[in-house]
């Protein structure tokens, strides 16, 4: 019989297993790759430290600039997925996605490696995202790529899955607090965002086991529930009663991309909430793929993944 400290307190296979002792086993293979010059796209990447005190860092991506010309590019702050508990900006799938995004959108991408729960409970991930956004718009005097090529008039926030949750929360904060030098977030894109709610609509739950794990994972990320009021906490349910109005998002345009997954109905409720709060349909776009949760990362050359990438590129590189 195992010791009490070896008791499993949370398990979500194949992602993570947590023990009463505080030990955390992340179960997926380690696929982290170093920064590089991507052979397929010519995109260059490198890692930078944002906050030595917390260990916050980011991987920057710069497209191949013909002739080395000095050209201002949109800046996209990207937040990876992983349920707030796994994942890294250095993971191979995230690295590949950021390379393709950088090349297609002709954007300078800042892929943030935020702290993970449960070792660093919510709100650590939100604080890290805010620090990274601050750094990206203020780095004109510090980072050479951002100084020479970053356009502070065209700053965007993009998040995938749990990163979409973080992207919403950091963009909402940008609507309430000033960024350095009067910078602002021009647009936000949410790719299959991780939102939940205590009350479920008819037909919302597609996989009861998976839905239960996604709900439990929010409690795990919040210190076993110590730093949240539950599934109607506005950070996980932005359309809950009493949540801040989505009209207060600190950006001008929003793109919400949904998949055929356990998050789809809550993502649609978010989009509906945008319109109900006063967002115009030409400023808040919805794209529903009907594909699985990970297809954009795992099958990037598929027709629908290309459509998603094109829509993101249009948002980040467009004139509107």
């Amino acid at each position: 019989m195992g010791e009490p400290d070896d008791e499993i307190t949370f398990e979500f296979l194949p992602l993570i297993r947590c023990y009463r002792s505080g030990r955390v086993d992340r179960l997926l293979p380690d696929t982290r790759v170093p920064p590089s010059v991507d052979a397929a796209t010519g995109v260059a990447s490198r890692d930078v430290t944002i906050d030595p005190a917390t260990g916050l860092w980011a991987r920057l991506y710069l497209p191949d600039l013909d002739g080395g010309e000095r050209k201002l590019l949109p800046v996209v702050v990207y937040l990876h997925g992983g349920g707030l508990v796994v994942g890294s900006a250095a993971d191979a799938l995230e690295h590949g996605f950021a390379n393709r995004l950088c090349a297609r959108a002709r954007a300078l991408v800042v892929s943030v490696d935020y702290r993970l729960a449960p070792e660093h409970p919510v709100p650590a991930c939100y604080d890290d995202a805010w620090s990274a956004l601050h750094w990206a718009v203020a780095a004109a005097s510090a980072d050479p790529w951002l100084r020479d090529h970053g356009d502070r008039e065209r700053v965007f926030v993009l998040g995938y899955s749990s990163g979409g949750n973080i992207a919403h929360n950091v963009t909402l904060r940008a609507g309430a607090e000033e960024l350095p030098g009067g910078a602002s977030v021009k647009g936000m894109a949410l790719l299959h965002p991780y939102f939940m709610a205590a009350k479920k609509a008819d037909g919302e739950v597609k996989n009861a086991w998976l839905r239960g794990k996604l709900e439990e994972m929010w409690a795990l990320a919040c210190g076993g529930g110590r730093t949240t009021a539950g599934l109607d906490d506005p950070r996980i349910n932005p359309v809950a009663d009493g949540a801040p109005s989505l009209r207060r998002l600190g950006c001008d345009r929003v793109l919400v991309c949904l998949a055929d997954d356990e998050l789809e109905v809550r993502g649609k409720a978010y989009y509906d909430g945008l319109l109900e709060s006063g967002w115009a349909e030409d400023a808040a776009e919805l794209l529903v793929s009907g594909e699985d949760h990970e297809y954009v990362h795992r099958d990037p050359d598929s027709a629908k993944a290309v459509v998603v990438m094109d829509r993101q590129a249009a948002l980040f590189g467009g004139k509107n």
Side-chain angles (χ1 to χ4, degrees):
M1 185 173 178
E3 295 296 325
D5 281 356
D6 291 334
E7 178 186 348
I8 295 173
T9 55
F10 178 78
E11 186 176 66
F12 185 3
L13 300 177
L15 299 181
I16 191 169
R17 182 180 295 126
C18 303
Y19 300 84
R20 186 167 301 280
S21 64
R23 187 176 112 214
V24 177
D25 290 340
R26 291 181 170 86
L27 306 173
L28 293 173
D30 186 351
T31 66
R32 287 175 293 182
V33 295
S36 61
V37 175
D38 185 61
T41 62
V43 168
S45 56
R46 61 184 177 86
D47 295 343
V48 295
T49 298
I50 295 175
D51 186 349
T54 62
L56 175 62
W57 63 274
R59 181 162 293 180
L60 304 189
Y61 296 81
L62 185 69
D64 184 18
L65 300 176
D66 296 336
E69 77 274 18
R70 294 172 66 90
K71 180 179 181 181
L72 291 182
L73 305 169
V75 176
V76 179
V77 176
Y78 173 61
L79 300 148
H80 66 78
L84 307 177
V85 299
V86 299
S88 168
D91 287 346
L93 286 176
E94 297 289 6
H95 181 69
F97 173 80
N99 269 315
R100 293 188 298 274
L101 176 68
C102 177
R104 179 66 187 86
R106 304 294 294 169
L108 201 165
V109 177
V110 180
S111 182
V112 183
D113 199 81
Y114 54 86
R115 287 171 292 171
L116 300 176
E119 298 93 334
H120 305 283
V122 167
C125 57
Y126 302 135
D127 292 341
D128 284 354
W130 182 248
S131 295
L133 179 60
H134 251 252
W135 177 86
V137 299
S141 60
D143 182 84
W145 283 5
L146 285 161
R147 181 190 64 226
D148 294 343
H149 300 292
D151 187 348
R152 295 174 72 256
E153 299 296 318
R154 291 186 294 161
V155 176
F156 300 85
V157 177
L158 164 65
Y160 164 59
S161 193
S162 57
N165 175 293
I166 299 171
H168 157 76
N169 281 285
V170 76
T171 306
L172 188 65
R173 185 170 175 178
E177 300 181 31
E178 289 188 3
L179 288 167
S184 63
V185 176
K186 190 169 182 62
M188 174 185 75
L190 307 183
L191 183 60
H192 315 160
Y194 172 47
F195 297 131
M196 294 278 108
K199 185 177 180 180
K200 302 167 185 63
D202 291 342
E204 176 173 341
V205 177
K206 303 179 184 184
N207 181 319
W209 175 85
L210 177 58
R211 181 56 172 255
K213 289 299 180 184
L214 291 171
E215 292 178 351
E216 292 172 24
M217 197 161 59
W218 171 249
L220 174 71
C222 294
R226 291 189 300 274
T227 63
T228 182
L231 294 175
D232 284 334
D233 182 325
R235 296 171 297 183
I236 192 69
N237 182 7
V239 296
D241 290 344
S245 170
L246 297 181
R247 200 68 192 92
R248 293 166 59 183
L249 285 165
C251 62
D252 299 327
R253 298 184 64 85
V254 178
L255 171 64
V256 180
C257 302
L258 304 180
D260 182 9
D261 60 11
E262 198 58 39
L263 305 175
E264 182 178 14
V265 173
R266 298 318 312 165
K268 180 58 164 56
Y270 181 88
Y271 178 76
D272 291 343
L274 288 170
L275 300 184
E276 291 167 6
S277 72
W279 280 83
E281 288 190 21
D282 62 351
E285 299 179 73
L286 176 67
L287 178 61
V288 181
S289 70
E291 299 293 321
D292 66 48
H293 185 68
E294 298 182 323
Y295 80 100
V296 173
H297 286 67
R298 294 194 179 277
D299 193 10
D301 295 325
S302 66
K304 290 187 177 179
V306 170
V307 168
V308 169
M309 188 63 78
D310 285 348
R311 290 285 283 273
Q312 292 176 120
L315 173 67
F316 304 146
K319 300 297 184 183
N320 293 329

